[in-house]
Amino acid sequence: MSSFTVDDFLKVDTYLSTSREEHSGVRQRIMRHLHHDTTSRDILLFLIAFRILNALSIRTFFQPDEYFQSLEPAWQIAFGTDGGAWITWEWKHYLRSAIHPYLFAALYKLSAAISTALSLSPAYNAELLIASPKVLQAVITALGDCYTWKLGQKVYGSRSNEAWAALALTVCNPWQWFCSTRTLSNCLETTLTIIALYLWPWEMSSDATEVSADVSETSTDEKQLTTLRGSLLLAAVACVLRPTNVLIWACLACFAFLRGATRERLVLIRETALCGSLILAISATLDRIYYGQWVFPPFRFLYFNIAKSLAVFYGRNDWHYYLSQGFPLLLTTSLPFALIDIYHATTSSASFPATALQSTIRHQLATLTLLVPFALSLVSHKEVRFIYPLLSPLHVLAAKSFTEFFLPAISPVSPTRRTPSSLLRRLLLFSLLGINIFIATLSTQYHQPAPLSVLSYLRSQYETHYLTQPPQSALIPQADTTMTIGFLMPCHSTPWRSHLVHPGIKAWALTCEPPIHLNNSAAARAAYRDEADRFYDNPTQFLKTHLGSPPRRKDILGSKTPQEGLGMGRIHETEGAWDGKEGTKVWPDYLVFFEQLEGTLKGYVGGRGGYVEGWRGWNSWGHDDWRRKGDVVVWCLRGEGESGKKKRIREMEAK
C-alpha cells in the first residue's frame, strides 16, 4: 500500500478549492431557484385559497352565458339529454366549442361519484354540484393571477417592486373579484392568455441578444422552443374557445415576423401549424362526440355573428364603448396608471433602467391593449368581457406608474415618507383600496342577488314538500315528486338546471331565439319579436293564449285528486314546453316574476285566488332593463311553509 505524501494533500486541497470556486455559482443559482420556487408555490396556494373564498362568496347574477354557455351543456354531457338542461340556439347551430363544457362535465361526473360514495342527501348533493364548478374556476383564476405576477417579474425583474405591484393590482381589482371566478368562457380565456403571454418567447421579436454566461446557446434555443410550443398550445385553446382571441396572437406574430430572423420566422410558422393542428384535432373530436357530426364552431361563430350580423340582435354600442366604458370597468381605480404606462411604453419613454427585452415586452403589451379594442370596436355589439383577456397585461403595465407614485410614500426607508405629500399619497392609496372594496362588495352581494337566491328557495321547497314529504292527512296522501315552475321573466334571467339540480323539478320560461330563419333584411329583423317580446307587448293576451284561465282557489281546494289540487301533475299535456322550448304552457306550482309585473298579474291571476305569495327577494336599486326592475316574487299554489300547508289541510277537512 503506497504512502500519501504532503504533495498529494496539497494537490487534493488545490483541486477542492478550485472545485468550490467553479461550483459556487452553481450552488448560488440552485439556492435562488429553490427560493423562487418556494415563493411561487406559497403565492399560488394563497391565491387558490383567496379565489375559492371569492367564488363561494358571490351571491349575485351577472351574465346568462355564465350558465347557458358552459354549465348547461356540461350538465347535458354529464347527465344525458333527459337531465333537464336548457340548450340554447348557439349549441343547436354549432357555434360553440365543446371543450369548455367538457371540463365541467368531467367535474359533474366526479362530484356525482363522490356524492354517491358518501351517500349524501339530495340537499347536500345539490350544494356539491353547485359549488364544484365555482371551485374549479377559482383554481383557474388563481393560476391567472399567479402568472400575472410572473409576467411582471419577466418585465421588471424577479425581485422588483413592480412585479409585486402587478400582483396587488390584480388581487385588489373589483372587476376581478366580481367576474374572474364565474364560469364564463372569457374567464378561462383570460387565464390561458396570460399564461401563454408569459411563455411567449419575446426574444424572437426583441433586439436583445445577450445570453447568460452559464447557459449555452443550444440550451437557450431548446428552452425557447419549449416555451414557444407551450404558448402556442394555450393560445390555440383560447382561440378555439373565443375566436376573437386570435387578434392578440396575430399582433404578436406580426412583431415576430417584422423583427425576427428568417430562421425564427420559419420556426414560428412550423410550430404554429403543428400546435394549432393538434388543438384543432382535439377540439374537432370533442365536437364530433357532442354534436354527433363533424363541425367547425369557430367558423360558425364568425359567420353567424359577423357575416349574418346576429350579434346585433343582442344590442348595439357606440364606437367608443371600450374606451369610455370597457377600460374603466376593467381597471376602475388603476385606470390612470394604466393609461400613463401605455403612453410611456408606446412612445419608448421608459423612466426605469430596462433591458432591451423588457422594453420590447412593455411596448408590445401596450400595443396589444390598443389594437385589439380598436379591432373589436368595428363590430356593433360590444361587451366589456370581450376585452377581458387584456386586463392582466394592463395590470403589468400599470404596475410601474403605480409603484413610482405610491412606493416613496409607504416605504419605511424612504427619506420623503413623512412629508405632507407622502401623507396625502398614503391617504389616497387607502381611499382607492376602500373604493375597490366597496365596489366589489356591492356588485357581488347586493346588486341582483335574487336570481340566485330564488333558486335556492325553490330547491328548498322541492326538498321539503315534494321529495321527502310524508302524508299530512287522510285526505292528502304523499305529494307527487314532480314540482313545476314557470318563469315569467325576460329569458335567461336566472340560472337553470345547474342550480335547479333536481330532476323532479320541471320548469318553463320565456324564450328569446334570434331571427336565424330571416334573411339579412333590416326591416324583417326590426319587426321580429321573440317569445319574451310578445309576452311583454301584451302580458294579459299572452297568458290567455298560452296558459288559458288561471286556477281558482275553490277549484284547488275542491279537487278530487289531492296532487292536482296542490298544483301537481298535468305535465303530460305540454311535454315539449319545458326547459327553454316554446309552446303551450301550464299554470305551474310556482310562478316566478319581477315586481314590475306584479300589478298585471294581480289583475289577471290574483282575483281568482289560486296563487298566494310565497317568497319575495331583494334584487337591485335600479336596472337598465325596465322588465327586470324591482324584487323577484314567487307565487305558489301550495302556500309557503308549514303554516300554509296546515291551513289548507284544515280547510279541506272542514269540507
Side-chain angles (χ1 to χ4, degrees), residues 128-420:
L128 176 63
L129 290 172
I130 292 171
S132 55
K134 299 179 181 181
V135 173
L136 175 59
Q137 184 58 46
V139 175
I140 293 172
T141 301
L143 286 172
D145 293 339
C146 187
Y147 276 89
T148 300
W149 170 60
K150 286 178 175 290
L151 183 59
Q153 290 182 315
K154 182 173 286 191
V155 174
Y156 302 108
S158 59
R159 299 184 180 182
S160 63
N161 292 312
E162 288 82 1
W164 290 107
L167 179 61
L169 288 173
T170 192
V171 167
C172 298
N173 184 301
W175 174 267
Q176 283 285 82
W177 184 266
F178 171 68
C179 182
S180 67
T181 58
R182 298 180 185 271
T183 53
L184 291 161
S185 61
N186 309 87
C187 299
L188 178 57
E189 176 198 13
T190 298
T191 293
L192 292 172
T193 300
I194 187 58
I195 299 176
L197 287 174
Y198 170 77
L199 295 174
W200 180 257
W202 300 93
E203 297 86 354
M204 294 178 62
S205 54
S206 172
D207 297 329
T209 57
E210 64 272 8
V211 178
S212 177
D214 56 296
V215 181
S216 68
E217 185 175 348
T218 301
S219 62
T220 300
D221 290 342
E222 291 176 354
K223 181 179 179 181
Q224 183 173 312
L225 183 60
T226 301
T227 58
L228 173 62
R229 287 172 177 168
S231 179
L232 290 175
L233 288 171
L234 294 174
V237 176
C239 291
V240 168
L241 282 175
R242 303 285 306 176
T244 51
N245 193 265
V246 74
L247 294 171
I248 294 175
W249 305 105
C251 291
L252 293 181
C254 287
F255 280 120
F257 269 82
L258 289 173
R259 297 186 177 185
T262 301
R263 176 177 172 273
E264 292 175 331
R265 295 172 187 169
L266 294 176
V267 169
L268 180 59
I269 294 173
R270 182 193 70 198
E271 296 301 324
T272 300
L274 291 175
C275 295
S277 298
L278 176 60
I279 297 302
L280 285 176
I282 295 172
S283 175
T285 302
L286 292 176
D287 291 335
R288 175 68 176 82
I289 296 171
Y290 179 76
Y291 289 115
Q293 57 182 295
W294 294 107
V295 295
F296 188 55
F299 171 77
R300 302 279 295 181
F301 178 88
L302 295 173
Y303 173 72
F304 272 82
N305 285 288
I306 297 178
K308 296 195 70 171
S309 301
L310 282 180
V312 177
F313 181 73
Y314 297 100
R316 293 176 179 267
N317 302 89
D318 296 327
W319 64 268
H320 54 77
Y321 172 84
Y322 291 119
L323 180 62
S324 60
Q325 299 181 51
F327 276 8
L329 285 171
L330 281 180
L331 292 161
T332 55
T333 55
S334 59
L335 176 63
F337 306 104
L339 294 178
I340 291 171
D341 278 308
I342 289 174
Y343 172 77
H344 286 163
T346 52
T347 58
S348 301
S349 56
S351 58
F352 73 106
T355 65
L357 178 59
Q358 291 172 335
S359 297
T360 294
I361 299 175
R362 294 185 70 249
H363 176 75
Q364 293 184 20
L365 289 179
T367 305
L368 281 179
T369 62
L370 296 176
L371 291 182
V372 173
F374 173 78
L376 292 175
S377 295
L378 301 178
V379 181
S380 298
H381 178 63
K382 305 174 184 68
E383 293 184 40
V384 62
R385 59 195 178 97
F386 295 170
I387 60 169
Y388 187 18
L390 300 178
L391 181 56
S392 294
L394 286 166
H395 282 150
V396 172
L397 291 170
K400 186 177 77 68
S401 292
F402 183 85
T403 303
E404 290 176 349
F405 187 80
F406 287 115
L407 185 60
I410 62 175
S411 174
V413 297
S414 173
T416 62
R417 187 171 182 268
R418 297 186 180 277
T419 63

Side-chain angles (χ1 to χ4, degrees), residues 73-108:
W75 191 278
Q76 183 191 55
I77 294 169
F79 303 115
T81 55
D82 296 329
W86 181 341
I87 304 302
T88 59
W89 70 274
E90 293 98 329
W91 297 95
K92 297 174 184 177
H93 292 271
Y94 322 125
L95 269 69
R96 303 287 182 180
S97 168
I99 287 182
H100 195 212
Y102 267 107
L103 185 67
F104 293 107
L107 185 65
Y108 277 142

